[in-house]
Amino acid sequence: MAAQVIAVIIFVLMFLMIMLDKFERCVVTLTAGAATMVLVFGLCMKSPDAILGTLNLRSVFSADFWYHAGLNADSSTGINWETIIFICGMMIMVEGMARVGFFRWLCMAIAKLVRFKPVPVLIAFMLISAILSMFIDSITVILFLAAVTVELAEVLKFDPVPIIMAEVFCANLGGSSTMCGDPPNIIIGTSLGYTFGDFLTNTGLMALAALIFSLIYFYLSFHNELKSGADREGSLIAASRNSAHFASGTEAAREMDLGRGEQPNFVISDRRGFYTSAVIFLLAVILLVTHAQTGLTVATIGVIIGTLTLVTAPRHIPEILHKVDYHTLLFFVGLFIVVGGLEQTGILELIAGFIGRISGGNPKVMVAIIIWISGIASAFVDNIPFAATMIPVIRTLAETTGMDLSVLAWSLAMGTDIGGSATPIGASANVVGTSVAAKHGYKVTWGRYCKYMAPASIFVLLIATAIVWVRYF
């Protein structure tokens, strides 16, 4: 009993400290993880097996960790090293792509394709945000998209905030559609043994329906505002030459011409590296799509992609490795330990039993509870620890009620991924997008953000609930 109480106290304190955002997130979770090891497993449980099981180092040295044909659900607890290794490999790939200007080139090429008109840019950047976030961390996607949006706004004289908000929403939505699109999905997939294809044919279909709604919703919400802000005739060429923002301090950029076909190429800093990065990204997509057939785990794919990125740019290895977000990786390590403490002490079984009782064993009610509790919670707290906490809960629910585990997994993924869009602090992409806007003088208030994003999130959660009910029951 003492172990359960202390495990809950540590978890609640960790959550509160993450919400307050006074300390580095990785420091908070690592401290909470150390407290779990010492107080829960050491003093209360006196269980070396619980410590070793939560550290889960043995799994890394097993053949199944790197290659297996069955892709069965992983019943292990504790640190999910497969998630951490995969995310690290993808981070290395993304930093390699960013170094050569891949993302900025893509944004500028698409903006040129739609003739730099604000409303078409809105639609185009929403689509690219959703598509890129299917394979790349949404933080990186928004970081580059928001920066380019601000640059275009400075030249074309429109408010970039509506487009940035729409990009953020679509980044979170696109991330919900694949296993590698959002950290909660990576954790769900690696913990329960689901493949890229499993996500794409389940959450992917829900995300597609929601994306169609989102395009219509944000177009109706913002097209008049964007049109009125950019209704002017004049030369884009002249505007571009007067813009210091596109210039980024270089003479070549200052002289660029928005009307010339080769214009987007000015952001490519290393042409050979650019093409190499594009090939590596394509390989990553192929390996992820086919990993159920090849038997390669996502940890193996992460190592392959990360290694290829480094060996093809040997002179830039220190630069790339320096920019990898190690704080996020350490954040995951501490988080998994704390959640392991809840699992080892039986707290998560109690939560699962409570959900089973209040749903009365009704599968539709159970799914609605998972989606909406996940969505509401993720609007105010980080969806990563929430998803990690709920995975053993839904596993226990499936075992005790006979409910299909996969249906609960898709419900959890959609709730955590979409609910985070509702508030400026609900997901990391939201914080990054609003921060980029504020940095350039476009402050996004809570009122303005929630006015548009909260209704969109509610509608998408309703769409997800309806699709789950219709398709699986």
Side-chain angles (χ1 to χ4, degrees):
M1 182 65 178
Q4 291 180 331
V5 172
I6 294 175
V8 170
I9 291 173
I10 291 172
F11 177 78
V12 170
L13 288 175
M14 180 193 74
F15 242 119
L16 289 174
M17 294 305 295
I18 291 174
M19 289 177 63
L20 292 173
D21 198 25
K22 297 293 184 182
F23 302 96
E24 281 276 0
R25 294 195 313 166
C26 66
V27 173
V28 173
T29 61
L30 288 174
T31 302
T36 299
M37 288 287 191
V38 174
L39 300 178
V40 178
F41 299 151
L43 294 180
C44 295
M45 295 177 64
K46 296 181 175 60
S47 173
D49 288 340
I51 295 174
L52 293 175
T54 300
L55 291 175
N56 201 24
L57 290 170
R58 186 181 302 175
S59 67
V60 179
F61 300 99
S62 67
D64 282 348
F65 184 86
W66 304 100
Y67 174 85
H68 52 82
L71 291 175
N72 295 320
D74 179 11
S75 60
S76 64
T77 61
I79 301 174
N80 189 329
W81 291 108
E82 193 172 351
T83 293
I84 293 170
I85 292 172
F86 172 68
I87 291 176
C88 183
M90 295 299 283
M91 283 180 174
I92 292 172
M93 180 193 74
V94 166
E95 291 302 333
M97 296 172 75
R99 180 189 68 81
V100 299
F102 180 88
F103 299 112
R104 294 178 66 81
W105 168 85
L106 183 61
C107 293
M108 294 306 302
I110 290 176
K112 182 182 187 331
L113 190 65
V114 297
R115 300 178 179 272
F116 300 96
K117 296 190 179 295
V119 174
V121 165
L122 167 69
I123 301 300
F125 278 23
M126 287 175 66
L127 289 172
I128 192 174
S129 179
I131 293 169
L132 282 179
S133 295
M134 293 171 66
F135 307 99
I136 298 173
D137 179 58
S138 58
I139 299 173
T140 301
V141 173
I142 291 302
L143 190 62
F144 286 95
L145 265 180
V148 172
T149 301
V150 170
E151 291 177 353
L152 286 171
E154 295 289 337
V155 172
L156 305 178
K157 308 301 180 186
F158 65 85
D159 182 2
V161 171
I163 296 182
I164 290 174
M165 286 195 292
E167 290 165 355
V168 165
F169 192 86
C170 287
N172 292 329
L173 185 57
S176 71
S177 64
T178 67
M179 192 184 108
C180 61
D182 240 9
N185 290 18
I186 299 172
I187 298 171
I188 292 169
T190 54
S191 298
L192 302 179
Y194 297 126
T195 68
F196 185 95
D198 292 332
F199 274 89
L200 194 62
T201 54
N202 290 278
T203 59
L205 292 178
M206 292 185 236
L208 178 60
L211 179 60
I212 295 170
F213 158 79
S214 302
L215 292 171
I216 297 170
Y217 173 85
F218 285 109
Y219 172 79
L220 294 176
S221 298
F222 297 136
H223 78 284
N224 286 332
E225 182 178 347
L226 291 172
K227 270 181 161 181
S228 62
D231 261 350
R232 63 184 54 83
E233 296 295 331
S235 170
L236 290 178
I237 297 174
S240 71
R241 287 176 176 166
N242 290 331
S243 171
H245 293 277
F246 276 119
S248 303
T250 67
E251 187 64 31
R254 272 193 291 270
E255 293 301 321
M256 81 168 187
D257 181 342
L258 287 174
R260 294 170 59 191
E262 69 271 24
Q263 173 270 321
N265 294 339
F266 87 97
V267 296
I268 300 175
S269 59
D270 177 353
R271 193 168 297 278
R272 181 179 178 183
F274 175 86
Y275 292 120
T276 302
S277 295
V279 171
I280 292 173
F281 176 64
L282 181 61
L283 176 63
V285 173
I286 293 171
L287 289 177
L288 287 167
V289 171
T290 62
H291 80 105
Q293 290 73 38
T294 63
L296 298 177
T297 66
V298 292
T300 302
I301 293 171
V303 169
I304 292 172
I305 296 304
T307 302
L308 282 175
T309 299
L310 295 176
V311 299
T312 54
R315 291 187 301 168
H316 301 281
I317 289 176
E319 174 189 350
I320 293 171
L321 292 179
H322 177 71
K323 291 183 177 180
V324 170
D325 187 0
Y326 298 105
H327 289 180
T328 294
L329 300 177
L330 292 173
F331 165 78
F332 276 114
V333 171
L335 169 64
F336 284 132
I337 293 173
V338 175
V339 174
L342 296 178
E343 190 167 6
Q344 294 277 3
T345 55
I347 293 296
L348 299 182
E349 289 185 16
L350 295 177
I351 295 174
F354 175 73
I355 293 175
R357 285 194 300 274
I358 63 174
S359 67
N362 186 315
K364 288 187 176 181
V365 176
M366 202 178 300
V367 161
I369 290 172
I370 297 296
I371 290 177
W372 287 92
I373 286 181
S374 301
I376 294 170
S378 296
F380 300 98
V381 300
D382 197 305
N383 59 5
I384 297 171
F386 186 86
T389 306
M390 288 298 294
I391 287 166
V393 171
I394 64 171
R395 183 190 285 131
T396 304
L397 266 176
E399 292 172 354
T400 55
T401 66
M403 180 76 177
D404 187 339
L405 176 60
S406 65
V407 177
L408 297 177
W410 312 142
S411 302
L412 176 62
M414 292 303 294
T416 52
D417 294 336
I418 302 307
S421 298
T423 67
I425 61 170
S428 299
N430 312 9
V431 177
V432 170
T434 53
S435 297
V436 170
K439 181 180 177 182
H440 291 84
Y442 301 96
K443 187 175 180 181
V444 186
T445 64
W446 266 70
R448 185 180 185 187
Y449 184 97
C450 294
K451 176 182 177 181
Y452 297 103
M453 302 290 270
S457 301
I458 292 171
F459 282 125
V460 170
L461 289 175
L462 286 171
I463 290 171
T465 304
I467 291 176
V468 171
W469 281 359
V470 171
R471 183 174 181 185
Y472 302 107
F473 299 112

